[in-house]
Amino acid sequence: MTNLKIALIGNPNVGKTSLFNALTGMNQRVGNYPGITVERKVGNFSLNNQTQATIIDLPGVYSINPTSTDEEVALQVFFDQTNKDYPDVVVVVAEAENLKRNLLLFLQIRDLGFPTLLCINMADQMQKKGISIDIPALEKKLNTKIVLTSTRQQEGIDQLKSEILALVNAPTTSPFDIKTINPEYFSAIEKNFPTIPPFKVWMALTQNFFSTEIPLDKIEHFRQNHSIDVKKIQHKEVVKRYQFINEVLKKTYTLDTTKETDVRMKLDRIFTHKIFGYVQFIIILGVIFGAVFELAKFPMDFIEGSFEDLSNWVLDTFPKGKLTDLIANGVLMGLSGVLMFVPQISILFLLIAILEDSGYMSRMVFLMDKIMRPFGLNGKSVIPLVSGTACAIPAIMAARNIENPKERFITMLITPFTTCSARIPIYIIIISVIIPQTYIAGFIPLQALVMVGMYAVGFVVAMLAGKLLSKLLKYKQESYFIIEMPTYKVPIFKNVLLTVYEKVLSYITNAGKIILALSIILWFLGSHGGENYNNAEEIVTQSEAAQTMDKEELEFAIAKYESENSYIGKIGQAIQPIFAPLGYDWKTSIGILTSFAARETFVGTLSTLYNLGDDFEEQETQIIERMKNEKRPDGTPVFGLATGLSLLMFYAFAMQCTSTIAITKKELNSWKWTAYQMFGMTIFAYIMALLVYQLVK
């Protein structure tokens, strides 16, 4: 059985992904190109009993001349014959409404010498738009086979498969004469490279798209003997191609505007209004992230509770020992830390996929670009930054949609500055301890204002960090903001679910492995220690203080002693001098240390250290009172205003989440930049906490 490799390429928002899903269904996978986090989707389907097809869904591009690193990496598959994705045939996806612009990419792909088919998608919308196309005449003009498809109506899919199979032996002669761009120069290319399509040689000369069939020394020799104004030729290429396209469409394409409805224009006036457009966007985002927070709460609690029950069952059922403890408190709790974020990721990407598929998100990205641009970002950065208020993990994943690598890079690095839901328990406790329950103007709670202030501080610092990184990071590539304004349409449920499935699977299989490994390491440090740790029960039981304790108090005392003498406890006491300038005692230092796994663990750590249970919901009042009453050896409060504000600043900026670290590494594909982010944010948090404490105390 033969296997045919098919490359699927097209402009953004032409329905390419929908077509890919229609062809492959669930028989697909997501992977990255080597050395860079640019996703490519690969799927399989049968053309007939003798032929299997492997189809590669490439990122959306407007032309073969790349404007970003991810486009360059994706387009390299057309030149490197050793690449596993090098195609046998190419399907260029277009849409009837923007056929003129889509045909530029088609002509360029055709000039590379591949058997190429033109697929005009969303054919069911042609009549509504007043569009009619003379398909036989257009096929003759373009010297290619054309298939009309509608993924929404599942029309044309079988015909597309048949035409792909017939395409293998189809002629590859381009309808466009490339020598019209510059007869002398391209004639010289044909003379020096007679067996290679001239446009492929041109791309090797100007874009460094080197093919294995084009010797580098021959390319260099040609450059030395044939100097040319590259920018001028590139501009002339586009002009000549569009002149050809205009002539073709003049005889084959008709648009009757009297039949076109004006709904899109009316909706655009509403959604892109210079004032109300922002108001609507804020309301919609509020609904989205409110849904992420509220709807995910039950499944997250269920997952966490189920794993806790399973962990307790393992502890009660299996023989006592380190292996049982590892399974219960290391592996199972690590898996809990991985899976408990799945509901948030699923809900967030479900709602974003609906907005994107409907055409709304493109309008909002366009609207926000003007605000984000001065900070080294673009309109698409607003989605990760705002979604970071729920959780940084899906937020960083959402930054994949930013085409420009520099802006995508900066967005991923600064997103953790925004206040995520994991900080809320910490903020509630610290604010409750240091801020009195008073009201401004008789009805505005001061504590609530401080909480809002923490959100504002995180967002402002994120934007300023973006501006700083934009100045420091030097990229040769200029920043372009190109956003497609697609037609409004009802989202295809199957495509939305497939998008959610891909994102969740990617998170579990990639970031999950790192999270689990780090969780096991932290379990080891917290559940092992030296001689005092191993003999904690005997030492505490035989102490004088133990004689007046009841059973529950004794258990807490033993847990406290174990915590102090575990490896992580010893490390906490060792680093306490480092945190002393911030106003933290050794207990707070241990809380800081353990919360590098996840910020929420700060509350549980303090509960244990203050001889309380680790159930935050039941012990909230007790821990607040204990923190208020905790004294230093000199009698001053441990958690005074200065220390409390210092802690708020530290947790506002420190990178304390193994899940976020793991997903950052996965998305940036770099431990170096992940380390820069982690240590840079933590150092900044330390400096801000130090300044606040020293100034306020």
Short mmCIF file of all heavy atoms in Angstrom, two decimals, residues 166-214:
data_model
loop_
_atom_site.label_atom_id
_atom_site.label_comp_id
_atom_site.label_asym_id
_atom_site.label_seq_id
_atom_site.Cartn_x
_atom_site.Cartn_y
_atom_site.Cartn_z
N ALA A 166 -5.84 11.71 -8.31
CA ALA A 166 -5.54 11.94 -9.73
C ALA A 166 -4.44 12.97 -9.93
O ALA A 166 -3.86 13.06 -11.01
CB ALA A 166 -6.82 12.39 -10.45
N LEU A 167 -4.15 13.73 -8.88
CA LEU A 167 -3.19 14.83 -8.98
C LEU A 167 -1.74 14.35 -9.08
O LEU A 167 -0.87 15.08 -9.56
CB LEU A 167 -3.35 15.74 -7.76
CG LEU A 167 -2.67 17.11 -7.79
CD1 LEU A 167 -3.30 17.98 -8.86
CD2 LEU A 167 -2.82 17.79 -6.43
N VAL A 168 -1.49 13.11 -8.65
CA VAL A 168 -0.11 12.61 -8.58
C VAL A 168 0.59 12.71 -9.93
O VAL A 168 1.75 13.12 -10.02
CB VAL A 168 -0.09 11.15 -8.08
CG1 VAL A 168 1.34 10.64 -8.04
CG2 VAL A 168 -0.73 11.07 -6.70
N ASN A 169 -0.09 12.38 -10.99
CA ASN A 169 0.52 12.39 -12.32
C ASN A 169 0.10 13.60 -13.16
O ASN A 169 0.29 13.61 -14.37
CB ASN A 169 0.16 11.10 -13.06
CG ASN A 169 0.69 9.87 -12.33
OD1 ASN A 169 1.83 9.84 -11.88
ND2 ASN A 169 -0.16 8.85 -12.21
N ALA A 170 -0.48 14.59 -12.50
CA ALA A 170 -0.96 15.77 -13.22
C ALA A 170 0.22 16.65 -13.65
O ALA A 170 1.28 16.65 -13.00
CB ALA A 170 -1.92 16.57 -12.35
N PRO A 171 0.08 17.43 -14.72
CA PRO A 171 1.17 18.32 -15.16
C PRO A 171 1.42 19.41 -14.12
O PRO A 171 0.51 19.83 -13.41
CB PRO A 171 0.63 18.91 -16.47
CG PRO A 171 -0.86 18.77 -16.38
CD PRO A 171 -1.10 17.50 -15.61
N THR A 172 2.66 19.87 -14.06
CA THR A 172 3.04 20.88 -13.06
C THR A 172 3.39 22.21 -13.71
O THR A 172 3.97 23.08 -13.08
CB THR A 172 4.24 20.38 -12.24
OG1 THR A 172 5.35 20.13 -13.12
CG2 THR A 172 3.90 19.12 -11.47
N THR A 173 3.03 22.38 -14.98
CA THR A 173 3.33 23.62 -15.68
C THR A 173 2.54 24.78 -15.08
O THR A 173 1.32 24.70 -14.91
CB THR A 173 2.97 23.50 -17.18
OG1 THR A 173 3.63 22.35 -17.72
CG2 THR A 173 3.41 24.75 -17.93
N SER A 174 3.25 25.85 -14.76
CA SER A 174 2.60 27.00 -14.14
C SER A 174 1.89 27.84 -15.19
O SER A 174 2.41 28.03 -16.29
CB SER A 174 3.63 27.85 -13.40
OG SER A 174 3.04 29.03 -12.92
N PRO A 175 0.70 28.38 -14.87
CA PRO A 175 0.01 29.26 -15.82
C PRO A 175 0.64 30.65 -15.91
O PRO A 175 0.35 31.41 -16.83
CB PRO A 175 -1.41 29.34 -15.23
CG PRO A 175 -1.20 29.16 -13.76
CD PRO A 175 -0.07 28.18 -13.63
N PHE A 176 1.51 30.97 -14.95
CA PHE A 176 2.12 32.30 -14.87
C PHE A 176 3.55 32.24 -15.41
O PHE A 176 4.34 31.38 -15.00
CB PHE A 176 2.11 32.79 -13.42
CG PHE A 176 2.82 34.10 -13.20
CD1 PHE A 176 2.25 35.29 -13.65
CD2 PHE A 176 4.05 34.15 -12.57
CE1 PHE A 176 2.90 36.50 -13.44
CE2 PHE A 176 4.70 35.36 -12.36
CZ PHE A 176 4.12 36.54 -12.80
N ASP A 177 3.87 33.14 -16.32
CA ASP A 177 5.22 33.20 -16.88
C ASP A 177 6.09 34.09 -16.00
O ASP A 177 5.97 35.32 -16.01
CB ASP A 177 5.16 33.76 -18.30
CG ASP A 177 6.54 33.76 -18.98
OD1 ASP A 177 7.51 33.24 -18.37
OD2 ASP A 177 6.63 34.28 -20.10
N ILE A 178 6.96 33.44 -15.21
CA ILE A 178 7.75 34.19 -14.24
C ILE A 178 8.75 35.14 -14.89
O ILE A 178 9.19 36.11 -14.29
CB ILE A 178 8.48 33.20 -13.28
CG1 ILE A 178 8.94 33.94 -12.02
CG2 ILE A 178 9.63 32.50 -14.00
CD1 ILE A 178 9.43 33.03 -10.93
N LYS A 179 9.08 34.89 -16.17
CA LYS A 179 10.05 35.75 -16.85
C LYS A 179 9.49 37.15 -17.13
O LYS A 179 10.25 38.06 -17.44
CB LYS A 179 10.52 35.09 -18.14
CG LYS A 179 11.49 33.94 -17.90
CD LYS A 179 12.15 33.45 -19.17
CE LYS A 179 11.16 32.68 -20.03
NZ LYS A 179 11.84 32.04 -21.20
N THR A 180 8.17 37.32 -17.01
CA THR A 180 7.60 38.66 -17.20
C THR A 180 8.04 39.62 -16.09
O THR A 180 7.95 40.83 -16.26
CB THR A 180 6.07 38.60 -17.23
OG1 THR A 180 5.59 38.06 -15.99
CG2 THR A 180 5.57 37.72 -18.38
N ILE A 181 8.51 39.08 -14.97
CA ILE A 181 8.96 39.93 -13.85
C ILE A 181 10.25 40.65 -14.24
O ILE A 181 10.39 41.87 -14.06
CB ILE A 181 9.18 39.09 -12.58
CG1 ILE A 181 7.87 38.42 -12.16
CG2 ILE A 181 9.73 39.95 -11.44
CD1 ILE A 181 8.04 37.41 -11.04
N ASN A 182 11.21 39.88 -14.76
CA ASN A 182 12.49 40.42 -15.22
C ASN A 182 13.06 39.42 -16.21
O ASN A 182 13.72 38.45 -15.81
CB ASN A 182 13.44 40.64 -14.04
CG ASN A 182 14.72 41.37 -14.45
OD1 ASN A 182 15.37 41.01 -15.42
ND2 ASN A 182 15.07 42.39 -13.68
N PRO A 183 12.80 39.60 -17.50
CA PRO A 183 13.18 38.60 -18.51
C PRO A 183 14.65 38.20 -18.47
O PRO A 183 14.98 37.01 -18.52
CB PRO A 183 12.82 39.28 -19.83
CG PRO A 183 11.74 40.26 -19.48
CD PRO A 183 12.09 40.75 -18.11
N GLU A 184 15.53 39.17 -18.38
CA GLU A 184 16.96 38.88 -18.43
C GLU A 184 17.40 38.06 -17.22
O GLU A 184 18.12 37.06 -17.35
CB GLU A 184 17.75 40.20 -18.49
CG GLU A 184 19.27 40.00 -18.59
CD GLU A 184 20.03 41.31 -18.63
OE1 GLU A 184 19.38 42.38 -18.75
OE2 GLU A 184 21.27 41.28 -18.52
N TYR A 185 16.96 38.45 -16.03
CA TYR A 185 17.42 37.79 -14.80
C TYR A 185 16.89 36.36 -14.71
O TYR A 185 17.63 35.42 -14.43
CB TYR A 185 16.95 38.61 -13.58
CG TYR A 185 17.49 38.10 -12.26
CD1 TYR A 185 18.80 38.33 -11.88
CD2 TYR A 185 16.66 37.39 -11.38
CE1 TYR A 185 19.29 37.87 -10.66
CE2 TYR A 185 17.14 36.93 -10.17
CZ TYR A 185 18.45 37.18 -9.81
OH TYR A 185 18.93 36.72 -8.61
N PHE A 186 15.59 36.17 -14.98
CA PHE A 186 15.02 34.84 -14.84
C PHE A 186 15.42 33.92 -16.00
O PHE A 186 15.43 32.70 -15.85
CB PHE A 186 13.50 34.92 -14.69
CG PHE A 186 13.08 35.33 -13.30
CD1 PHE A 186 12.80 36.64 -12.99
CD2 PHE A 186 12.98 34.37 -12.29
CE1 PHE A 186 12.44 37.01 -11.70
CE2 PHE A 186 12.61 34.73 -11.00
CZ PHE A 186 12.35 36.05 -10.70
N SER A 187 15.78 34.50 -17.15
CA SER A 187 16.34 33.69 -18.23
C SER A 187 17.71 33.16 -17.82
O SER A 187 18.06 32.00 -18.14
CB SER A 187 16.45 34.52 -19.51
OG SER A 187 15.17 34.86 -20.00
N ALA A 188 18.46 33.98 -17.11
CA ALA A 188 19.77 33.54 -16.61
C ALA A 188 19.61 32.42 -15.59
O ALA A 188 20.41 31.48 -15.55
CB ALA A 188 20.52 34.73 -16.00
N ILE A 189 18.58 32.51 -14.75
CA ILE A 189 18.31 31.44 -13.78
C ILE A 189 18.00 30.14 -14.51
O ILE A 189 18.53 29.07 -14.17
CB ILE A 189 17.15 31.83 -12.85
CG1 ILE A 189 17.57 32.94 -11.89
CG2 ILE A 189 16.66 30.61 -12.04
CD1 ILE A 189 16.47 33.43 -10.96
N GLU A 190 17.13 30.22 -15.54
CA GLU A 190 16.78 29.01 -16.30
C GLU A 190 18.00 28.40 -16.98
O GLU A 190 18.14 27.17 -17.04
CB GLU A 190 15.73 29.36 -17.36
CG GLU A 190 14.33 29.54 -16.79
CD GLU A 190 13.30 29.72 -17.91
OE1 GLU A 190 13.70 30.11 -19.04
OE2 GLU A 190 12.11 29.48 -17.66
N LYS A 191 18.90 29.25 -17.45
CA LYS A 191 20.09 28.76 -18.15
C LYS A 191 21.05 28.07 -17.18
O LYS A 191 21.63 27.02 -17.50
CB LYS A 191 20.79 29.93 -18.84
CG LYS A 191 22.03 29.53 -19.63
CD LYS A 191 22.65 30.74 -20.32
CE LYS A 191 23.91 30.33 -21.09
NZ LYS A 191 24.54 31.49 -21.78
N ASN A 192 21.21 28.62 -15.96
CA ASN A 192 22.16 28.06 -14.99
C ASN A 192 21.58 26.90 -14.19
O ASN A 192 22.31 26.07 -13.67
CB ASN A 192 22.63 29.16 -14.03
CG ASN A 192 23.64 30.10 -14.65
OD1 ASN A 192 24.85 29.88 -14.56
ND2 ASN A 192 23.15 31.15 -15.31
N PHE A 193 20.24 26.87 -14.08
CA PHE A 193 19.58 25.79 -13.31
C PHE A 193 18.45 25.21 -14.18
O PHE A 193 17.26 25.40 -13.87
CB PHE A 193 19.02 26.33 -12.00
CG PHE A 193 20.04 27.00 -11.12
CD1 PHE A 193 20.29 28.37 -11.23
CD2 PHE A 193 20.75 26.28 -10.18
CE1 PHE A 193 21.22 29.00 -10.42
CE2 PHE A 193 21.68 26.90 -9.35
CZ PHE A 193 21.93 28.26 -9.48
N PRO A 194 18.78 24.54 -15.25
CA PRO A 194 17.77 24.12 -16.24
C PRO A 194 16.76 23.10 -15.73
O PRO A 194 15.66 23.01 -16.27
CB PRO A 194 18.62 23.53 -17.38
CG PRO A 194 19.90 23.13 -16.72
CD PRO A 194 20.13 24.12 -15.63
N THR A 195 17.09 22.33 -14.69
CA THR A 195 16.18 21.26 -14.23
C THR A 195 15.36 21.66 -13.01
O THR A 195 14.58 20.85 -12.49
CB THR A 195 16.99 20.00 -13.88
OG1 THR A 195 17.91 20.31 -12.82
CG2 THR A 195 17.77 19.50 -15.10
N ILE A 196 15.52 22.89 -12.56
CA ILE A 196 14.86 23.33 -11.32
C ILE A 196 13.93 24.49 -11.65
O ILE A 196 14.30 25.40 -12.41
CB ILE A 196 15.90 23.78 -10.27
CG1 ILE A 196 16.91 22.66 -10.04
CG2 ILE A 196 15.22 24.14 -8.95
CD1 ILE A 196 18.11 23.08 -9.22
N PRO A 197 12.70 24.50 -11.10
CA PRO A 197 11.80 25.63 -11.34
C PRO A 197 12.46 26.96 -10.96
O PRO A 197 13.04 27.08 -9.87
CB PRO A 197 10.61 25.33 -10.42
CG PRO A 197 10.62 23.85 -10.26
CD PRO A 197 12.06 23.46 -10.26
N PRO A 198 12.42 27.96 -11.86
CA PRO A 198 13.11 29.23 -11.60
C PRO A 198 12.70 29.90 -10.28
O PRO A 198 13.52 30.51 -9.61
CB PRO A 198 12.71 30.10 -12.80
CG PRO A 198 12.37 29.12 -13.86
CD PRO A 198 11.78 27.93 -13.17
N PHE A 199 11.41 29.78 -9.93
CA PHE A 199 10.95 30.43 -8.70
C PHE A 199 11.58 29.78 -7.46
O PHE A 199 11.87 30.45 -6.48
CB PHE A 199 9.42 30.39 -8.60
CG PHE A 199 8.87 31.17 -7.46
CD1 PHE A 199 9.04 32.55 -7.38
CD2 PHE A 199 8.17 30.55 -6.43
CE1 PHE A 199 8.53 33.28 -6.31
CE2 PHE A 199 7.65 31.26 -5.37
CZ PHE A 199 7.84 32.63 -5.31
N LYS A 200 11.79 28.47 -7.51
CA LYS A 200 12.44 27.79 -6.40
C LYS A 200 13.88 28.27 -6.25
O LYS A 200 14.37 28.48 -5.13
CB LYS A 200 12.40 26.27 -6.59
CG LYS A 200 13.01 25.49 -5.44
CD LYS A 200 12.89 23.98 -5.61
CE LYS A 200 11.51 23.50 -5.19
NZ LYS A 200 11.43 22.02 -5.08
N VAL A 201 14.56 28.49 -7.37
CA VAL A 201 15.93 29.03 -7.33
C VAL A 201 15.91 30.45 -6.78
O VAL A 201 16.77 30.83 -5.97
CB VAL A 201 16.55 29.00 -8.73
CG1 VAL A 201 17.97 29.59 -8.70
CG2 VAL A 201 16.60 27.58 -9.27
N TRP A 202 14.92 31.23 -7.22
CA TRP A 202 14.78 32.62 -6.74
C TRP A 202 14.62 32.66 -5.22
O TRP A 202 15.22 33.49 -4.54
CB TRP A 202 13.59 33.27 -7.44
CG TRP A 202 13.11 34.55 -6.81
CD1 TRP A 202 11.96 34.74 -6.13
CD2 TRP A 202 13.77 35.82 -6.83
NE1 TRP A 202 11.84 36.04 -5.70
CE2 TRP A 202 12.95 36.73 -6.12
CE3 TRP A 202 14.97 36.29 -7.36
CZ2 TRP A 202 13.29 38.07 -5.95
CZ3 TRP A 202 15.31 37.63 -7.18
CH2 TRP A 202 14.48 38.50 -6.49
N MET A 203 13.83 31.74 -4.66
CA MET A 203 13.65 31.69 -3.21
C MET A 203 14.94 31.30 -2.51
O MET A 203 15.24 31.78 -1.41
CB MET A 203 12.53 30.70 -2.85
CG MET A 203 11.15 31.09 -3.36
SD MET A 203 10.61 32.71 -2.78
CE MET A 203 10.41 32.38 -1.04
N ALA A 204 15.72 30.42 -3.11
CA ALA A 204 17.02 30.06 -2.53
C ALA A 204 17.96 31.25 -2.55
O ALA A 204 18.75 31.46 -1.62
CB ALA A 204 17.62 28.88 -3.30
N LEU A 205 17.88 32.06 -3.60
CA LEU A 205 18.75 33.23 -3.74
C LEU A 205 18.39 34.34 -2.76
O LEU A 205 19.26 35.06 -2.27
CB LEU A 205 18.67 33.77 -5.17
CG LEU A 205 19.35 32.94 -6.26
CD1 LEU A 205 18.89 33.37 -7.64
CD2 LEU A 205 20.87 33.07 -6.14
N THR A 206 17.11 34.48 -2.45
CA THR A 206 16.66 35.64 -1.67
C THR A 206 16.18 35.33 -0.26
O THR A 206 16.24 36.18 0.63
CB THR A 206 15.52 36.35 -2.42
OG1 THR A 206 14.43 35.43 -2.62
CG2 THR A 206 16.00 36.86 -3.77
N GLN A 207 15.66 34.11 -0.02
CA GLN A 207 15.06 33.78 1.27
C GLN A 207 15.83 32.69 2.02
O GLN A 207 15.40 32.25 3.09
CB GLN A 207 13.61 33.32 1.09
CG GLN A 207 12.70 34.35 0.48
CD GLN A 207 12.36 35.47 1.44
OE1 GLN A 207 12.71 35.42 2.61
NE2 GLN A 207 11.69 36.50 0.95
N ASN A 208 16.95 32.24 1.47
CA ASN A 208 17.74 31.17 2.08
C ASN A 208 16.94 29.88 2.25
O ASN A 208 17.16 29.11 3.18
CB ASN A 208 18.31 31.60 3.44
CG ASN A 208 19.34 32.71 3.28
OD1 ASN A 208 20.10 32.72 2.31
ND2 ASN A 208 19.34 33.64 4.21
N PHE A 209 15.96 29.67 1.35
CA PHE A 209 15.25 28.39 1.30
C PHE A 209 16.03 27.44 0.41
O PHE A 209 15.77 27.31 -0.78
CB PHE A 209 13.84 28.58 0.73
CG PHE A 209 12.84 29.05 1.74
CD1 PHE A 209 11.82 29.91 1.37
CD2 PHE A 209 12.90 28.64 3.06
CE1 PHE A 209 10.88 30.35 2.28
CE2 PHE A 209 11.96 29.07 3.98
CZ PHE A 209 10.95 29.92 3.60
N PHE A 210 17.05 26.81 0.98
CA PHE A 210 17.93 25.98 0.18
C PHE A 210 17.37 24.58 0.01
O PHE A 210 16.99 23.92 0.97
CB PHE A 210 19.32 25.92 0.80
CG PHE A 210 20.00 27.26 0.83
CD1 PHE A 210 20.31 27.88 2.03
CD2 PHE A 210 20.30 27.91 -0.36
CE1 PHE A 210 20.91 29.12 2.05
CE2 PHE A 210 20.91 29.16 -0.34
CZ PHE A 210 21.22 29.77 0.86
N SER A 211 17.33 24.13 -1.23
CA SER A 211 16.88 22.79 -1.55
C SER A 211 18.08 21.88 -1.71
O SER A 211 19.17 22.34 -2.10
CB SER A 211 16.06 22.82 -2.85
OG SER A 211 15.75 21.52 -3.27
N THR A 212 17.90 20.62 -1.42
CA THR A 212 18.99 19.66 -1.56
C THR A 212 19.41 19.50 -3.02
O THR A 212 20.51 19.03 -3.31
CB THR A 212 18.56 18.29 -1.00
OG1 THR A 212 17.29 17.93 -1.57
CG2 THR A 212 18.44 18.35 0.51
N GLU A 213 18.54 19.91 -3.95
CA GLU A 213 18.86 19.79 -5.38
C GLU A 213 19.59 21.02 -5.91
O GLU A 213 19.99 21.04 -7.08
CB GLU A 213 17.57 19.58 -6.18
CG GLU A 213 16.56 20.69 -6.00
CD GLU A 213 15.20 20.37 -6.61
OE1 GLU A 213 15.17 19.68 -7.65
OE2 GLU A 213 14.19 20.80 -6.05
N ILE A 214 19.78 22.04 -5.06
CA ILE A 214 20.46 23.26 -5.50
C ILE A 214 21.79 23.39 -4.75
O ILE A 214 21.79 23.70 -3.55
CB ILE A 214 19.60 24.52 -5.25
CG1 ILE A 214 18.20 24.35 -5.87
CG2 ILE A 214 20.28 25.75 -5.80
CD1 ILE A 214 17.26 25.50 -5.58
#
